[in-house]
Amino acid sequence: MTDIPQPRKSPRQLRSQHTVDTILQATARVLATHGYAGTNTNLIAETAGVSVGSLYQYFPNKNALIAALHQRHDNQMLDVIDGVLNSNPAATLTERVAAIVQAMLHAHLLEPALHRVLEREFPLFDTPREHSLADQDIHRRMRHLLELHRAEIAQQDRDLATYVVLRIMESLVHAAALEPPAGFSTERLEQAVVDAVMGYLATPGGAVPRKRASAPKAGKPATRRKTAG
Amino acid sequence: MTDIPQPRKSPRQLRSQHTVDTILQATARVLATHGYAGTNTNLIAETAGVSVGSLYQYFPNKNALIAALHQRHDNQMLDVIDGVLNSNPAATLTERVAAIVQAMLHAHLLEPALHRVLEREFPLFDTPREHSLADQDIHRRMRHLLELHRAEIAQQDRDLATYVVLRIMESLVHAAALEPPAGFSTERLEQAVVDAVMGYLATPGGAVPRKRASAPKAGKPATRRKTAG
Amino acid sequence: MTDIPQPRKSPRQLRSQHTVDTILQATARVLATHGYAGTNTNLIAETAGVSVGSLYQYFPNKNALIAALHQRHDNQMLDVIDGVLNSNPAATLTERVAAIVQAMLHAHLLEPALHRVLEREFPLFDTPREHSLADQDIHRRMRHLLELHRAEIAQQDRDLATYVVLRIMESLVHAAALEPPAGFSTERLEQAVVDAVMGYLATPGGAVPRKRASAPKAGKPATRRKTAG
Amino acid sequence: MTDIPQPRKSPRQLRSQHTVDTILQATARVLATHGYAGTNTNLIAETAGVSVGSLYQYFPNKNALIAALHQRHDNQMLDVIDGVLNSNPAATLTERVAAIVQAMLHAHLLEPALHRVLEREFPLFDTPREHSLADQDIHRRMRHLLELHRAEIAQQDRDLATYVVLRIMESLVHAAALEPPAGFSTERLEQAVVDAVMGYLATPGGAVPRKRASAPKAGKPATRRKTAG
DNA sequence: TATGAATGAGCGTTCATTCAT
DNA sequence: GATGAATGAACGCTCATTCAT
């Protein structure tokens, strides 16, 4: 539980790097096909065509394998955001958010079973979501994106907004990709994620009087101004 | 994995009912303090001051204990929504959403460690999110709420909206209560959840041209009409 | 393992006797339908419509139940033999053996599953087949039968013969009733048991020179005289 | 109950083979000394001087251990018959049967306690006596033996005769070796087994009128013709 | 370095038996 | 007597990890 999930040794040789990759692939496959409960290091090693001993040469323990997979996933997400940031400089925020959501969804749809497991099994869950480096990078990139489009955003606190947007994206993309509710196409769900993100950003925020407010007049929806000229 | 998490026998005598409660309390405590990996039935029984045999008299297996805890939690959430629905008939949607969010947050803050574990460990996760009865009720209630306030909502598909709103609430409330980002007060996080929900509902949706549409001109934000009047 | 399998108290009252019978019936049924591994006292009690406590009022432990069932079976066999002995005074040995075999077979065919289990599970197997009273009675009756027909028997030692005949009957009747080889009708198997018993009895016995005998001439079958004029 | 009792992996290395042997020896010893009820995998492993893990590396479950012991025993019996078949071509059927009986008895007398347990505990007893390969071989060999000596046999159906002979041998050898009745020497019991087998084979069979035949006149023994010229 | 046989603590679960009611 | 909730020792089995080869 309190293990350091770092690769035991950084593979300097090519062969080692290849072995590490193979093991990780095997871990993903076993996790996806057998679920967490059915996953064990011996099976992973066997699937990878490697001996258990070798596995432990590169990963100090089972948790490290899962942590590495999380790492990998975080990096993929990071790449997704980076890709969007670095292309089409003229795009609107909505377009960019849509592009990110679409790419995320796509990534999750490649191995839904694996992601279903990864979503639940976070080996170091004692430590309060000790953000991985990639995780911090993701935050930074997203914050940068919001900064770029600050004119299109009603939310004032961009740091908080970054956090909220990432949470919304994560949960809704997971929902859409991994446990899609019956009756809705992936396209509509995808659109819903974008709606949720953009809707939040378009909201000034903090407008609701907390507790004990004299009951507002009527059913008028939250008033909203266009966020940009 | 494919177990039926139904109590083995419904306790008829008072003594039995008490035993069941005690066991569930103990499960929550052990889960919260030891995490899922550190939780085992013998420890639960010991903590409950009960023999393992008694535990298995009422719960067919370990998973059933967790499932029961989920059930309990779902029912709490259901009560929260019901409570809001049944009070203050003149309230706006925003106020009601705010009330629900606040109550949810409050509920999660009572036993954050337990909820942290419950969030990840869903013993029946093979079954494609086979919504518990309470879960379905929650959906129904929320849909009813949106129906009541349909005039304040821009999203057309109220079924989809219900799903999205519940997902957003769940993920952001969890985030706010169980792994709050440093630097933000609970109040602000709470407000952010409301913003996200209301922002989404206020968005007409579907406005984004999908793939390969003639690239939009410029950085115009997602257009948005006032949802009502 | 070293338990005394005697009923804890002899049921003097009618109600008690009935309870005991019910429990024994239930034991038989559970044993037959669930096999030994699937049989447990709680299930037996439930099947009998009686509480476990009551069960233990009449049987000191699980083994006692099985022992009682064996007892019951032994008594049935005893009755079978008695019945044959007490009828048709003019019958030949062959006819009587045939009648016994037939009755035994019939008895086993009523509850083959039960007998299959009973055959294997003899609770006191440590004690070297401590013959039950009924068992001893059976031996006595069979010896008496052979005595009556001594003129038709070639085997000299009637005590040994009794033992052998009972063993043959038991094993072949079990085989015929409980695991009949494919391709043979019950009738033929039944006949085979009679053949085996009568064949043995018709053999003078001890005719084979032990080890180192000067090799006999040829393939002549074991010569045999008619056993009786 | 419905387990496949195949070794989990066939040990390729010498060390492995040795481990397997040791485990089987230990199983036999524990079974013989503690009985089936007193036998458990941890004890077996301990007795073998091996860890439970190792035991389960080669045997999928407890039953597989017993099944392997049965296998071993079946093979021994097979060897016994083969040995007799391949020696002394001039021997009569009686001599050969005597030799087989003697060898079987001898084999059982080496580890009577073990065989006592094995006789009762046949882990695969659900499967309708799915004869092991060795078991089938035994049948084939015995049938071949009867074929060779068909001139010395009165029973017409040699397939049925094979079955009956094997059952008789098995039950009487067990009786003689494992629970010898007081008062008889092993030699006499051995002779009795031979008598039973040869007596059965010398009987034409089927001579008994079935049910309700006009009652035969008197105590004439089962008539019997000489089986061969 | 790689292998894979071996380890053994530990877990989920059962069930014969007891005893307060 | 009868009940059935409670007990808890014990067992089958797993699997992360080690280490001799």
Side-chain angles (χ1 to χ4, degrees), chain C residues 92 95 102 119 211 216 224, chain D residues 95 102 120 211 216 218 224:
Chain C
T92 61
E95 288 166 338
Q102 187 181 333
E119 181 183 11
K211 286 184 179 185
R224 167 177 293 168
Chain D
E95 289 167 336
Q102 185 181 337
R120 300 221 164 271
K211 289 185 179 183
R224 167 175 293 169

Side-chain angles (χ1 to χ4, degrees), chain B residues 127-144:
Chain B
T127 61
R129 180 74 130 168
E130 186 169 358
H131 300 296
S132 66
L133 286 182
D135 223 40
Q136 294 175 23
D137 277 348
I138 289 176
H139 188 92
R140 247 192 300 277
R141 296 298 201 293
M142 181 56 78
R143 201 190 184 298
H144 179 59

Side-chain angles (χ1 to χ4, degrees), chain A residues 1 34-38 90-92 94-95 98 102 116-122 125 128-129 152 155 157 159-160 163-164 167-168 171-172 175-176 179-181 184 187-192 194-196 198-200 202-208 210-211 213-224 226-228, chain B residues 1 34-38 88 90 92 94-95 98 102 116-122 125 129 151-153 155 157 159-160 163-164 167-168 171-172 175-176 179-181 184 187-192 194-196 198-200 202-211 215-224 226-228:
Chain A
M1 269 204 180
H34 291 71
Y36 184 78
T92 62
T94 305
E95 287 167 339
Q102 185 180 332
R116 240 176 316 254
V117 175
L118 283 184
E119 181 183 10
R120 302 222 165 273
E121 297 301 333
F122 200 95
F125 64 88
R129 189 153 182 94
E152 307 165 53
Q155 288 284 341
D157 186 328
D159 241 330
L160 177 57
Y163 180 77
V164 170
R167 287 286 79 74
I168 291 178
S171 67
L172 286 182
E179 42 183 61
F184 302 111
E187 281 74 25
R188 294 198 62 197
L189 291 169
E190 185 183 332
Q191 179 58 46
V194 179
D195 286 354
M198 294 313 297
Y200 165 71
T203 298
V208 188
R210 309 219 13 98
K211 287 183 178 186
S214 61
K217 296 300 162 332
K220 277 185 68 182
T223 49
R224 168 176 292 168
K226 289 205 173 183
T227 20
Chain B
M1 269 205 180
H34 291 71
Y36 182 80
N88 194 4
T92 62
T94 306
E95 286 167 337
Q102 185 182 337
R116 214 140 23 214
V117 175
L118 283 184
E119 181 184 5
R120 299 219 164 272
E121 296 303 331
F122 200 98
F125 68 87
R129 180 74 130 168
E152 308 166 53
I153 296 175
Q155 288 285 340
D157 186 329
D159 244 329
L160 177 57
Y163 180 77
V164 171
R167 288 286 80 72
I168 291 178
S171 66
L172 287 181
E179 42 184 64
F184 302 111
E187 283 72 25
R188 292 198 62 199
L189 291 170
E190 186 183 331
Q191 179 58 45
V194 178
D195 287 353
M198 296 312 297
Y200 165 70
T203 300
V208 188
R210 305 207 28 86
K211 288 186 180 187
K217 295 301 162 331
K220 277 183 69 183
T223 50
R224 168 175 292 168
K226 290 207 174 181
T227 18

Side-chain angles (χ1 to χ4, degrees), chain D residues 173-184:
Chain D
V173 164
H174 278 170
L178 311 180
E179 42 184 63
F184 303 109

